[in-house]
Amino acid sequence: MSAAIATRRVVVVGAGVTGLLTAVECALAGHRVTVLDRGPVPNPESSSFDQHRVIRNFSPNDPAETRRRAAAHHRWLELEALLGTRILRRVGVVTAWPREELPAVAAAAAEAGVAVERVAPERLPHLEFPADSAGLWEAGAGVLLAERVLHAAARWLHRHPAVTLRPYTPVTGVETDSAKVELAGGETLGGDLVLVAAGPWARDLVEHPVVLHRQTVMYLRPPDNAARWWDNAPAAGGLGPDGRGWVVPPGEGTLLKISSDAVCRTVATTADCEDESQLPWSELLAQTAPVTHLHRYTVEAVTACHYASDAETGGAQLARVGPAVWSRPACGGSGFSQAPLVAGVIVEALKEGPV
């Protein structure tokens, strides 16, 4: 088969992490790619635009998911070399577990081939562990520098001759039967494959039932007497009095971020976010805080973000919604860390040939 026949036209709607990495992988595979976004590229309003996100391999009781995470992690290391930018802080990830469950969970990790270490809460004094719990430290995991990833991918794409970036180009509709994308100015773009990766707004363009969630997060600056400890601290989850909190440590220009499932709620739309007061949600987050002595920390920002989950599975879902149209709603941290896998599926789909 000649190179000309093998080359496909790919249209990516959305310049978040899934859209940008898919464009990178498609360009590497020899295809022509157009990336559309209603804002700049990358777009600070995308659901994946953040300072950092957690990446880990082990998924308890799910060997298949553990294998998928390991594959994504491996690709992130390759992307770090390709993009020429440090994008992964290898600080490890700690998850808190009831003490009686820890031996079984550690054994499952060993069986899955994931190196873990049991850690007593006393070794991590600035993390708030639930009562009668201890930690499991996955040393090979860490933190993706999310904003850095997006900018590095956008720069790489801007330099590639087979890629066209079209910022400030709102999409008004997608014809799933014909793989045509309708733009706000009346223009129509066609492709051999279309990926709709427009975050929470994807459901306005294609039939892909999702549930929209809003999450409040706090960005903190540690007190001076704890700053050095935090420089090498791991990411951590299962924390706080209720075991629902997460911590993403500061480093390389990022702040300490805390979040909790306790302040995650289902919403109908993103439209009212600016009018919603974050005060009650930040107060609830403070009550369930995953760090000790929260009052000593300086609150730099309190923000609300959105993510979408598949209405049936409750998780991230890549769906084929037309013969050559795919949809990937944004799904929090897991959606970010597994973006390379989505890109790989799209590249494989392009091998099927024109529809």
Side-chain angles (χ1 to χ4, degrees):
M1 183 178 292
S2 69
I5 295 175
T7 300
R8 311 291 181 214
R9 295 167 302 131
V10 181
V11 179
V12 176
V13 181
V17 65
T18 297
L20 292 178
L21 290 193
T22 298
V24 168
E25 298 290 4
C26 289
L28 287 172
H31 304 296
R32 302 197 64 82
V33 189
T34 299
V35 180
L36 308 169
D37 199 281
R38 61 179 185 168
V41 176
N43 190 346
E45 293 187 0
S46 71
S47 56
S48 55
F49 198 97
D50 195 359
Q51 293 186 10
H52 34 30
R53 295 291 176 89
V54 174
I55 181 171
R56 52 185 175 147
N57 292 345
F58 180 49
S59 179
N61 304 316
D62 194 341
E65 177 63 16
T66 297
R67 289 192 294 271
R68 284 192 292 270
R69 290 182 180 185
H73 197 145
H74 178 72
R75 186 55 184 157
W76 276 113
L77 296 176
E78 294 176 334
L79 285 167
E80 190 170 51
L82 175 73
L83 299 177
T85 303
R86 177 175 159 85
I87 58 178
L88 177 61
R89 296 188 66 227
R90 298 160 181 82
V91 294
V93 175
V94 171
T95 49
W97 293 89
R99 291 184 185 274
E100 67 271 14
E101 296 181 19
L102 204 59
V105 177
E111 185 176 352
V114 179
V116 296
E117 174 190 348
R118 300 185 199 185
V119 57
E122 293 76 20
R123 286 182 54 191
L124 301 168
H126 297 286
L127 301 183
E128 183 70 53
F129 280 75
D132 200 27
S133 70
L136 204 64
W137 191 322
E138 184 183 335
V143 175
L144 288 164
L145 299 170
E147 185 176 342
R148 192 179 295 184
V149 168
L150 300 177
H151 282 289
R155 287 194 299 270
W156 188 93
L157 291 167
H158 180 73
R159 295 192 297 265
H160 199 286
V163 177
T164 301
L165 300 180
R166 295 188 59 177
Y168 304 103
T169 307
V171 173
T172 58
V174 176
E175 297 178 8
T176 54
D177 291 337
S178 59
K180 294 187 182 299
V181 177
E182 301 167 357
L183 307 184
E187 182 183 356
T188 299
L189 291 181
D192 297 301
L193 185 146
V194 173
L195 172 66
V196 180
W201 304 276
R203 62 180 184 171
D204 298 330
L205 301 175
V206 294
E207 285 287 335
H208 188 173
V210 296
V211 178
L212 185 62
H213 306 272
R214 184 175 297 161
Q215 176 88 355
T216 297
V217 298
M218 295 176 66
Y219 296 88
L220 311 172
R221 193 172 299 281
D224 291 341
N225 62 356
R228 180 172 294 181
W229 185 90
W230 278 109
D231 282 342
N232 298 297
L239 300 178
D242 58 2
R244 303 173 68 186
W246 271 93
V247 169
V248 187
E252 302 208 26
T254 66
L255 293 166
L256 169 65
K257 181 172 67 177
I258 65 172
S259 62
S260 171
D261 288 347
V263 295
C264 181
R265 57 273 190 198
T266 301
V267 294
T269 177
T270 62
D272 64 340
C273 186
E274 292 185 2
D275 297 327
E276 179 191 65
S277 172
Q278 296 305 307
L279 181 59
W281 298 107
S282 62
E283 291 175 343
L284 178 57
L285 181 54
Q287 293 170 15
T288 60
V291 300
T292 58
H293 307 296
L294 181 66
H295 64 281
R296 298 178 182 175
Y297 290 71
T298 302
V299 178
E300 296 288 345
V302 177
T303 64
C305 55
H306 295 91
Y307 69 91
S309 62
D310 185 86
E312 293 185 5
T313 67
Q317 183 73 31
L318 175 64
R320 195 170 195 163
V321 295
V325 178
W326 295 73
S327 170
R328 171 69 167 187
C331 191
S334 65
F336 196 104
S337 62
Q338 296 196 22
L341 300 186
V342 174
V345 171
I346 297 302
V347 171
E348 287 299 310
L350 287 164
K351 295 178 181 179
E352 298 175 6
V355 176

